[in-house]
């Protein structure tokens, strides 16, 4: 076999080097020399993801993402064959091939261009995507995050809800939250709350607020499912976003589907801090400005709904992180790793920043409990 067919992979081994070589020629065109693959950070636990690489040949490159249902994964990260399931294995391919991933493009938020979608003989799907070279949102200044929020509001205000494709995720938040059970028994465990990382870095009121959020979980989910709908990404955070000129490019559409208007923003803001991209001390002001920008974007493209319902969606979306407090309790005695597991992170810093962010989400939850009855929703079981 000539050296032009060689595949030099950095990171996880490529399962089908021959297929990669053949597909690269179709996507990148003729080239000489070897093909180089460099693994990109992703969640290795997810049974849907066979791998994500930058593929380079000569002076050309693309992103290769392999979707699979053949990867061994247990528990909540197992791939699903149910098209409505939050972790349906081929949803991202469907979102790209039908064009839904580009619905927001006129408003400054787009997906990478789909270069090829290859159904491999072994059952996997190879998504070949444009390599967008803008600055990752993990390195953005706060002002750029706020501008992204404005563009997101403009896009969701203009597009609204989509037609009900059978493979779009449905009731995502309820399924996702319900699948996270690790450590929940520790919420009422005094010793768990006295672990040094927890005791020293979680605000004093946090236990009460997070236990209350857990007990009110079904109420929050009922509220979220009753709010105005929008086509939603449902995994929107800085690690899935980069600059695209003045606009934004958003990756990883695997969870896309039906969400509450404002739910994506309610995910993006705390995730900016949870993974240490924005300091927790800046979160209150950042969240206020981003919310105002999102509303401005909504209005700019003709949306004329009740902004109190959007505010309720943003605040009530705090329920998505019900699981995180329990996980932090369960992992307080272990080495702390970054997203993807490649590097250790400063445990003291992580617990301090996440503790402050969880406390902020407790404030969102209190605001949601107060706002919902004024908008015609039942009061939360634990009262206001």
């Amino acid at each position: 076999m000539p050296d032009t067919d060689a595949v030099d992979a950095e990171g996880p081994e490529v399962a089908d080097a021959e297929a990669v070589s053949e597909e690269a020629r179709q996507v990148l065109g003729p080239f000489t020399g070897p093909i180089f693959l460099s693994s990109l950070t992703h969640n290795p636990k997810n049974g849907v993801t066979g791998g994500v690489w930058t593929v380079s040949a000569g002076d050309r490159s693309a992103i290769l993402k392999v979707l699979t249902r053949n990867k061994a994964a247990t528990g909540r990260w197992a791939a699903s064959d149910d098209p409505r399931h939050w972790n349906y294995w081929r949803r991202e391919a469907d979102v790209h091939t039908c064009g839904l991933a580009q619905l927001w493009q006129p408003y400054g938020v787009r997906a990478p261009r789909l270069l090829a979608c290859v159904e491999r003989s072994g059952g996997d799907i190879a998504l070949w995507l444009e390599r967008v070279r803008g600055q990752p949102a993990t390195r953005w200044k706060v002002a750029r995050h706020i501008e992204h929020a404005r563009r997101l509001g403009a896009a969701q205000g203009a597009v609204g809800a989509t037609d009900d494709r059978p493979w779009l995720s449905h009731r995502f938040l309820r399924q996702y939250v319900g699948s996270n059970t690790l450590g929940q028994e520790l919420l009422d465990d005094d010793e768990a709350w006295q672990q040094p990382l927890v005791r020293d870095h979680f605000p004093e009121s946090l236990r009460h607020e997070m236990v209350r959020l857990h007990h009110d979980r079904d109420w929050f989910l009922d509220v979220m499912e009753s709010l105005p709908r929008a086509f939603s990404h449902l995994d929107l955070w800085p690690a899935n976003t980069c600059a695209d000129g003045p606009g934004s490019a958003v990756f990883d559409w695997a969870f896309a589907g039906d969400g509450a208007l404002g739910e994506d923003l309610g995910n993006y803001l705390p995730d900016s801090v949870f993974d240490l991209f924005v300091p927790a001390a800046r979160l209150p002001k950042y969240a206020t400005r981003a919310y105002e920008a999102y509303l401005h974007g909504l209005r700019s493209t003709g949306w004329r709904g009740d902004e109190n319902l959007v505010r309720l969606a943003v605040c009530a979306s705090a329920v998505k992180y019900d699981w995180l407090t329990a996980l932090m309790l369960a992992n307080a005695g272990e080495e702390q790793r970054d997203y993807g597991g490649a590097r250790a992170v400063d445990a003291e810093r992580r617990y301090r920043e996440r503790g402050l962010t969880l406390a902020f989400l407790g404030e969102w939850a209190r605001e949601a409990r107060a706002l919902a009855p004024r908008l015609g929703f039942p009061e939360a079981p634990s009262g206001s």
Side-chain angles (χ1 to χ4, degrees), residues 45-117:
K45 297 178 182 178
N46 196 333
V48 167
T49 308
V52 188
W53 297 268
T54 299
V55 182
S56 302
D59 60 354
R60 284 162 285 178
S61 61
I63 302 300
L64 169 62
K65 183 172 185 177
V66 176
L67 310 181
T68 185
R69 55 182 169 183
N70 301 316
K71 176 180 172 182
T74 58
R76 61 182 302 265
W77 289 113
S80 175
D81 288 320
D82 178 0
R84 291 299 199 190
H85 191 274
W86 70 273
N87 209 32
Y88 174 49
W89 78 277
R90 61 170 297 144
R91 179 177 295 114
E92 188 166 10
D94 293 332
V95 172
H96 276 285
T97 55
C98 80
L100 282 180
Q102 300 298 352
L103 280 180
W104 296 344
Q105 184 168 359
Y107 313 98
V109 182
R110 72 175 183 93
R113 289 183 297 111
L114 177 66
L115 304 178
C117 179

Side-chain angles (χ1 to χ4, degrees), residues 220-236:
F220 278 97
L221 293 171
D222 289 343
V223 167
M224 289 295 289
E225 290 173 357
S226 302
L227 289 166
R229 316 314 293 165
F231 173 60
S232 302
H233 183 277
L234 298 173
D235 193 21
L236 196 63

Side-chain angles (χ1 to χ4, degrees), residues 8-23:
D8 186 355
E10 173 190 321
E13 183 179 352
V14 181
D16 196 336
E18 185 176 347
V20 170
S21 178
E22 180 179 346
E23 292 161 9

Side-chain angles (χ1 to χ4, degrees), residues 256-279:
D258 172 67
L261 185 64
E263 184 174 338
D264 275 338
L265 183 66
N267 187 89
Y268 189 92
L269 295 176
D271 268 5
S272 301
V273 183
F274 280 139
D275 284 275
L276 308 178
F277 307 133
V278 173

Side-chain angles (χ1 to χ4, degrees), residues 251-336:
F251 316 115
D252 196 358
W253 294 75
F255 300 160
D258 172 67
L261 185 64
E263 184 174 338
D264 275 338
L265 183 66
N267 187 89
Y268 189 92
L269 295 176
D271 268 5
S272 301
V273 183
F274 280 139
D275 284 275
L276 308 178
F277 307 133
V278 173
R282 304 188 71 177
L283 179 56
K285 185 176 181 180
Y286 162 46
T288 297
R289 292 178 61 199
Y291 174 70
E292 291 171 350
Y294 182 81
L295 281 181
H296 177 74
L298 282 174
R299 299 294 189 196
S300 73
T301 50
W303 183 83
R304 295 294 179 265
D306 183 351
E307 67 182 56
N308 288 308
L309 294 172
V310 180
R311 182 63 186 174
L312 179 57
V314 172
C315 292
S317 67
V319 72
K320 182 179 181 182
Y321 300 98
D322 166 56
W323 62 273
L324 185 56
T325 306
L327 181 69
M328 299 295 285
L329 294 174
N331 290 345
E334 300 179 5
E335 182 184 32
Q336 302 297 306

